[in-house]
Each structure stands twice: as C-alpha cells, then as structure tokens.
Amino acid sequence: MAAWLSSELARRAARRIAGELRRRGPAPWFPSSSTVPVVGPTAGYHRGFCSVRRFAGDTAAATATAEDSDNEFAAGDLQQSQVVDFPGGKLSFVGEMNFVPESQRERIKCYRVLDDDGGIIHSSRFQEVSKELALKMYSNMVTLQIMDTIFYEAQRQGRISFYLTSNGEEAINIASAAALSADDIVLPQYREPGVLLWRGFTLQEFANQLFGNKMDYGKGRQMPIHYGSNRLNYFTVSSPIATQLPQAVGAAYSLKMDKKDACAITYFGDGGTSEGDFHAALNFAAVTEAPVIFFCRNNGWAISTPTTEQFRSDGIVTRGQAYGIRSIRVDGNDTLAVYSAVHAAREMAITEGRPILIEAMTYRVGHHSTSDDSTKYRLADEIEHWRTARDPVSRYRKWVQGNGWWCDAEETELRNSVRQEILQAIQVAERIPKHGLTELFTDVYDQVPSNLREQQQSLLDTIKKHPSDYPTDVPV
C-alpha cells in the first residue's frame, strides 16, 4: 500500500511539473540549469542536457485546455506535443511503447521498364536511348555472352587455369557502364568484365590477361579474370570480398574534394553485404556525402549460400535507408531499367553530392566459377528457365528488333564476327611469351630487399634441381 501511494504521489507530482513547464514555455538551454521531470521514487527535478521545446503547431488554446484539466493530463499527451534536442537528434515522444518492426509489411517494389517479351510497360518512365546507343549496348551484350562461352570452354580444355562468367547478368554489366562517363572511377568485384568491355578493353587485352603473357598489364601475377586498366579508370579486380567498397568511398571523396564532374561506382554481390566492409563503406559514404554508387548484384546466391541464409531483411535496398542513403531496387535483367537507374543515380551523386545504393535483382545462370558445380545446390530446371525464358540479352533484343533497328541477318553476322575475333585473340595470346620468373619479385619495392633476393635465389635453385616440375614456357 505504501509503495502504491508513493508511486501515485510521484505521478501527480510529474503532472504538476509538466503543467508548469507548459505554462512557462520554451527556455534557453543551459547544461547547468535545464530540468526534466523524473517519475518514480526520486521524483523531483533532475539536471539534464537537453531542452524541451513545443512544436510550432502547439497553440496557446491547447495549453490553456491542458491547464484546466491538470488532474486528467496524460504523460503521453505531453510527450506527443514536445520535441527534444538530444545530441543524437531532434526527437518527439509518444506514450506508447512501440518497437520498430523487423521488416515492412510490403516488400519494396522493383523498378522495371521492359516486360518479359521486350515490350515497354505502360506508363513506365525511363531514360530515352538513341538508336546508335541502343545498338552499341546490344552488340556489347552479345559480345560479352560469346566471350564468356568461349573462354569458359578454353578453361575446360586446360588452356587457362580459371574463369568466371557473367551469364544472365549481361544487362547489369553493359547498361550500367553505358550510363557512366569515362571519367567515372570503377571499382569492380569480379563479375563485371562487360563494364571494361564497354570502356574499350579489347578482346585481345582480355585474352592476354587470361593467359598471363608479356602483354598482360599485371605481368602474369594476377589470377585469370583479375582485369584492370589505368587507362580506362578500372581498378584491378581482387578476390577478397567487399574490400573495394570502402576504397570506392575514398576515391569518390577525392573526386569531391577536387570538384570533379565525376563519381565512383563499385559493384558487389549479395554475399558481399555480409562483410563488415559493406556496412563500414555505407556509413563512411553517408557521413562524408561522397558521390559514390553502390551497385549490388542480388543474384540470390553467394556461391552456394542462398540469400535466405544470409539475411532476414527485405533484400539489400533497405540497408541504404538504415545508413541514410537514397536507394532503389531495379530489375537487373531489364537493360533499359538498369540504364535509367544508373543514369539517374549518377546525376544525383554528382549534383547533390550524395551516395546512392542500387539493388539489381537478377540470376546467375552460370556456375559461380569453373571451380563450382551449381547443380549441387540448384535445380537444373531452374537454371534452364532463367537461361531461356528470362535471358536479358534475348529480352533486350526483342525491344531493339521491335523498333526496326535489328534483324536476323545482322544477328548472325555479329555473332560470327565476334566468335572469330575471340578465337583469333586466343591464338595470338597463346603465342606471346610469358613474363620471366624474376618479375615475381619486382614492382613492390624501389630497391629489392635482401629477404626477397634470398627467396628469388631459393626459387631458382629449386627449379634447377627439379626442372620437370616447372613449366618450360616461363623464362627463368
């Protein structure tokens, strides 16, 4: 009984204090004198660090009404009419104890322009493309598709050691690249060779890298598909997942400091969002307001791990809002939708000085790499459905051909021409000599340190002792 009485007296005291605060109105904020009511056994005045201010809509009439009904005044009503400037932000109060739900009631919708038959969806809004641009985009998508097929077969023949395709994600590669400028900096993951193709990397340059010959810009040190080009503002691919994300923010911030009319874009898969670098990069970009585009290819699988085992949120797009980043979800198999989204994102990133997150919904038709057999964790019928019925290249071709810009004869000529060019590039790449083993120890230090010289000599001694265990086409 005594405890109940004490609690009731405390609540009444709090109501009286609240009424007094409302009559006095807002007061200047002083850390040493600001007071807030405390409910409970220690009711009274408590020194605080924030000021209590009413919303602009809080009228004198409302205040008078509250004074007349002081005994019936509810703490929740007071809280709903006030705003408090905490160091962490200006907040209003509610009397209800509501937890933020773990997800929204409805999933965030996906932006789309083309239907499955290549027709424009009624009332869809998108960035117009000229005939010349449309045909160049289609030609590059076909080239990427054929390039993947032939290089994959070359690996299976033992001519190169490793390969990774972009089958099913051609629209993401080419359409996003087409919406960028040559001055924009690209930090890829490893499934974006189409971006490099669009920028002017030749089929011969691709072949040289895969075979690691003397014409390879990486001097044969990188594993196949780790392309890179200073000339084309395309950072070299590296295997560690998501490390390129915070690097992209730094690159974008440097562009902002130099007042460049350009942005940075970085690509990653849904699996990359499970890395800490993803979260660090988004927060870094939001706080610095860096002009960077985060482009996530959500193809449903991180190698063999499905998204259902990676996260419980509504995909990736919701993560942007959590960090204060404008975001959009787009159909990654829709060439026009991807192009329009990246075009708009680039404009906002540069003119408004802000990061943008794009989640492109797609499907990885091929295996993760030549080291993977995806039929062990996916149904073959599912893969075939996406390869045929949902193919982004065929879908875009229907739109291009529907405009009268393309025909079957041009299709045959293009495919034959690209195939011959790639086969020729492979033959040339195979004949070009390899870099010497000494290149393994250069380009890191200005002066090679003693420990590396010792390692180099040890390697040469081992080769002399066991010559049959080392390739004969690599100069010693």
Side-chain angles (χ1 to χ4, degrees):
M1 182 68 179
W4 174 87
L5 180 59
S6 175
S7 178
E8 181 63 23
L9 289 173
R11 280 194 290 270
R12 291 179 181 178
R15 294 189 187 114
R16 287 195 298 271
I17 294 169
E20 179 64 21
L21 288 173
R22 295 178 66 86
R23 285 191 291 271
R24 292 179 181 178
W29 177 77
F30 296 105
S32 61
S33 61
S34 175
T35 58
V36 291
V38 178
V39 178
T42 58
Y45 284 106
H46 174 74
R47 294 188 181 277
F49 56 84
C50 53
S51 61
V52 181
R53 294 180 296 182
R54 292 173 290 174
F55 289 116
D58 194 8
T59 63
T63 303
T65 302
E67 293 173 357
D68 293 340
S69 56
D70 184 66
N71 291 334
E72 297 177 0
F73 184 82
D77 294 335
L78 169 65
Q79 292 167 343
Q80 290 174 356
S81 64
Q82 292 179 330
V83 62
V84 174
D85 266 345
F86 288 100
K90 182 186 293 186
L91 304 171
S92 60
F93 292 125
V94 293
E96 297 287 336
M97 184 172 61
N98 293 320
F99 289 87
V100 177
E102 66 279 6
S103 62
Q104 298 179 348
R105 294 183 179 179
E106 295 184 3
R107 299 201 67 177
I108 294 178
K109 292 180 172 57
C110 187
Y111 171 60
R112 197 184 201 195
V113 176
L114 295 176
D115 59 28
D116 290 338
D117 295 322
I120 298 293
I121 297 174
H122 178 67
S123 74
S124 61
R125 303 170 66 180
F126 62 96
Q127 183 69 31
E128 296 286 346
V129 296
S130 65
K131 176 182 177 180
E132 180 183 9
L133 178 59
L135 292 179
K136 182 181 179 182
M137 290 167 66
Y138 180 70
S139 175
N140 274 257
M141 290 172 70
V142 171
T143 300
L144 177 59
Q145 193 177 59
I146 298 173
M147 182 179 84
D148 276 344
T149 300
I150 295 178
F151 284 143
Y152 187 91
E153 293 172 351
Q155 192 281 334
R156 288 298 189 236
Q157 294 167 1
R159 299 165 85 173
I160 57 178
S161 62
F162 179 84
Y163 195 70
L164 183 151
T165 70
S166 303
N167 296 146
E169 301 181 22
E170 294 88 352
I172 286 174
N173 273 250
I174 303 304
S176 65
L180 301 171
S181 80
D183 294 327
D184 296 330
I185 298 174
V186 179
L187 289 93
Q189 187 174 13
Y190 42 61
R191 215 177 294 277
E192 297 84 26
V195 178
L196 195 52
L197 176 68
W198 178 269
R199 292 196 160 203
F201 209 67
T202 66
L203 294 176
Q204 188 62 62
E205 288 176 304
F206 279 111
N208 291 339
Q209 196 283 330
L210 294 172
F211 283 87
N213 59 38
K214 275 195 171 183
M215 300 303 292
D216 169 28
Y217 303 128
K219 297 185 178 182
R221 299 173 178 135
Q222 288 277 6
M223 65 184 291
I225 66 91
H226 281 201
Y227 313 110
S229 174
N230 289 337
R231 171 174 58 91
L232 301 174
N233 280 332
Y234 190 95
F235 274 58
T236 302
V237 174
S238 61
S239 287
I241 301 300
T243 54
Q244 73 277 13
L245 272 62
Q247 296 166 5
V249 181
Y253 192 63
S254 71
L255 293 173
K256 178 179 180 178
M257 291 177 66
D258 293 338
K259 295 180 170 54
K260 299 287 187 181
D261 185 25
C263 70
I265 183 170
T266 182
Y267 296 84
F268 52 99
D270 47 271
T273 67
S274 297
E275 295 287 341
D277 279 341
F278 167 78
H279 300 277
L282 262 65
N283 194 55
F284 182 20
V287 171
T288 59
E289 297 181 329
V292 57
I293 300 173
F294 295 101
F295 195 108
C296 177
R297 298 173 288 94
N298 186 348
N299 59 29
W301 296 90
I303 307 184
S304 60
T305 305
T307 54
T308 54
E309 296 180 15
Q310 295 181 57
F311 45 76
R312 287 291 180 268
S313 62
D314 177 14
I316 313 303
V317 69
T318 56
R319 317 279 185 88
Q321 188 177 32
Y323 287 103
I325 294 178
R326 191 173 295 172
S327 311
I328 187 172
R329 171 175 283 159
V330 60
D331 182 352
N333 288 18
D334 182 344
T335 304
L336 295 184
V338 173
Y339 175 78
S340 299
V342 176
H343 188 279
R346 180 183 185 274
E347 181 70 17
M348 288 186 287
I350 295 174
T351 60
E352 299 179 27
R354 66 167 65 245
I356 303 292
L357 171 64
I358 298 175
E359 179 187 19
M361 309 302 292
T362 185
Y363 188 85
R364 191 194 75 217
V365 171
H367 305 296
H368 174 75
S369 70
T370 50
S371 303
D372 174 51
D373 179 6
S374 63
T375 61
K376 299 296 184 181
Y377 52 86
R378 301 188 300 182
L379 295 175
D381 290 344
E382 173 187 305
I383 299 172
E384 183 63 17
H385 168 73
W386 282 91
R387 189 186 71 82
T388 55
R390 307 296 293 277
D391 175 40
V393 180
S394 300
R395 181 173 166 191
Y396 183 58
R397 177 189 174 183
K398 292 176 182 177
W399 178 76
V400 173
Q401 202 157 345
N403 289 330
W405 297 342
W406 198 247
C407 65
D408 293 344
E410 291 171 307
E411 180 77 14
T412 301
E413 181 182 356
L414 171 64
R415 289 185 175 273
N416 288 338
S417 174
V418 170
R419 181 177 179 80
Q420 290 303 315
E421 186 178 353
I422 295 173
L423 292 175
Q424 176 65 23
I426 290 176
Q427 293 176 6
V428 171
E430 285 182 313
R431 292 196 297 266
I432 298 175
K434 307 288 186 182
H435 281 281
L437 282 179
T438 55
E439 290 290 356
L440 287 173
F441 304 92
T442 60
D443 295 339
V444 176
Y445 299 96
D446 180 41
Q447 298 292 329
V448 179
S450 59
N451 65 313
L452 286 185
R453 289 198 300 270
E454 292 173 2
Q455 291 178 32
Q456 181 178 351
Q457 187 59 50
S458 176
L459 174 61
L460 295 176
D461 293 343
T462 304
I463 293 174
K464 289 180 181 179
K465 183 182 291 189
H466 307 282
S468 61
D469 295 333
Y470 290 84
T472 58
D473 60 341
V474 178
V476 176

